[in-house]
Amino acid sequence: MHMLIAGWRRCGARRTAVVRLVGALTAAAVALAGCATGPVDGNTLARDAAEWTAKQLNDKFGRRMRARDAEYIAATEIPAEPQDVGEVRVTPLAWSGRTSGDETATIDVRFAATVPSREPASFGDRGNTAGSATRCYRYELQLYRDTGYHEIRCPQGVTPPAPSASPVLTLPPDANDRLTAALRSATPDTLANVVRAAFPQDGIRVDTVIYQDTMVAAVGVPAERDCLVMIRTPDGMLKQVSYDRIQLEPGETGCNTRLYTNPPR
């Protein structure tokens, strides 16, 4: 019995791990048990590399905090063209839906991994054969939830065109100047119309009020937590209103004139 245990220990001392770096990602290790001889199977290493990279993408998608089309996510958070990440080629294949309300954005991605053959580098290192593997995963993204994913059968056929991203609506770069000019020219009776005329784009919210003889205007894109609040006092002074940006989050005050007339305490 003692000899068997001693032999197992000597054998265990020769166990090693084959480490394959995937680009700049953390190394993935495959522990080899017992006293197996011969090179490690490269196809197995490639499958593991594809699986590991798929998990990294799921972690990158994370919890969704903005309403976005699936194509926008695929275009901005996955390489627009098939890219090699270390030894794994990542390609978006299909996308549909969006992260808004109870909707779900679905994105299918292919991971094609290749592993070159490697000779043993030291005593106990078995090296590995060349190998390759292709695995596909479907990601399901919902607003204010962590992303989930699962493996799917890789579709046959030609890779579709790369996804494209339409610009996200935000306040224009000259929003401050526009609102300043609008408030300067407005009267109490024309305030709402003048500010709306300065920001005619669909999706930009405009809120105005006369409060204690002061003109108050708030303009913003609520979905993007983008908001500008400004006042014009009875003596004609213009001032941009500061506020705690947490008030732009869902369930809080939001982008409206209450940020000035009734600020949270």
Side-chain angles (χ1 to χ4, degrees):
M1 178 65 71
H2 176 76
M3 292 178 63
L4 289 175
I5 293 174
W8 182 87
R9 286 174 176 167
R10 286 193 299 272
C11 194
R14 293 196 295 270
R15 288 184 295 175
T16 186
V18 174
V19 177
R20 184 64 59 197
L21 293 179
V22 183
L25 305 175
T26 307
V30 178
L32 308 178
C35 295
T37 59
V40 177
D41 178 46
N43 291 331
T44 298
L45 294 180
R47 283 184 57 81
D48 290 346
E51 179 183 10
W52 186 81
T53 307
K55 182 183 184 304
Q56 296 304 304
L57 180 58
N58 187 71
D59 292 344
K60 177 183 177 182
F61 283 150
R63 178 173 288 257
R64 309 310 300 184
M65 302 303 291
R66 295 287 189 275
R68 294 285 187 270
D69 292 334
E71 184 172 10
Y72 180 92
I73 298 171
T76 58
E77 300 185 40
I78 305 174
E81 298 289 344
Q83 296 287 321
D84 288 325
V85 183
E87 295 166 349
V88 182
R89 191 171 175 81
V90 182
T91 308
L93 297 177
W95 44 86
S96 63
R98 66 194 311 264
T99 58
S100 178
D102 294 331
E103 297 181 66
T104 299
T106 302
I107 304 174
D108 294 347
V109 184
R110 181 175 63 212
F111 300 85
T114 57
V115 174
S117 62
R118 186 178 63 85
E119 294 296 325
S122 61
F123 177 76
D125 179 3
R126 291 165 54 191
N128 62 267
T129 63
S132 63
T134 300
R135 305 178 73 170
C136 295
Y137 292 83
R138 175 164 295 163
Y139 297 84
E140 295 177 337
L141 307 90
Q142 292 182 294
L143 197 60
Y144 308 129
R145 296 185 183 181
D146 293 331
T147 300
Y149 75 118
H150 61 274
E151 189 167 10
I152 60 173
R153 183 185 298 274
C154 287
Q156 302 297 316
V158 180
T159 300
S164 60
S166 299
V168 173
L169 178 65
T170 60
L171 288 175
D174 63 345
N176 196 300
D177 292 340
R178 291 192 194 191
L179 190 53
T180 297
L183 285 175
R184 184 173 287 127
S185 65
T187 68
D189 291 335
T190 64
L191 176 61
N193 289 336
V194 168
V195 176
R196 170 47 70 190
F199 297 91
Q201 299 94 328
D202 290 339
I204 294 183
R205 177 179 178 178
V206 171
D207 186 36
T208 60
V209 71
I210 305 297
Y211 177 74
Q212 297 178 350
D213 296 328
T214 294
M215 296 184 194
V216 187
V219 296
V221 182
E224 299 304 316
R225 286 61 154 178
D226 196 7
C227 184
L228 174 64
V229 183
M230 193 174 291
I231 65 171
R232 176 184 163 191
T233 61
D235 61 3
M237 185 182 71
L238 293 167
K239 178 183 177 182
Q240 184 173 334
V241 177
S242 60
Y243 55 85
D244 186 346
R245 293 194 62 81
I246 198 172
Q247 295 305 317
L248 302 181
E249 295 297 323
E252 302 297 337
T253 302
C255 183
N256 56 62
T257 55
R258 293 198 307 276
L259 290 171
Y260 173 75
T261 64
N262 188 27
R265 302 298 180 185

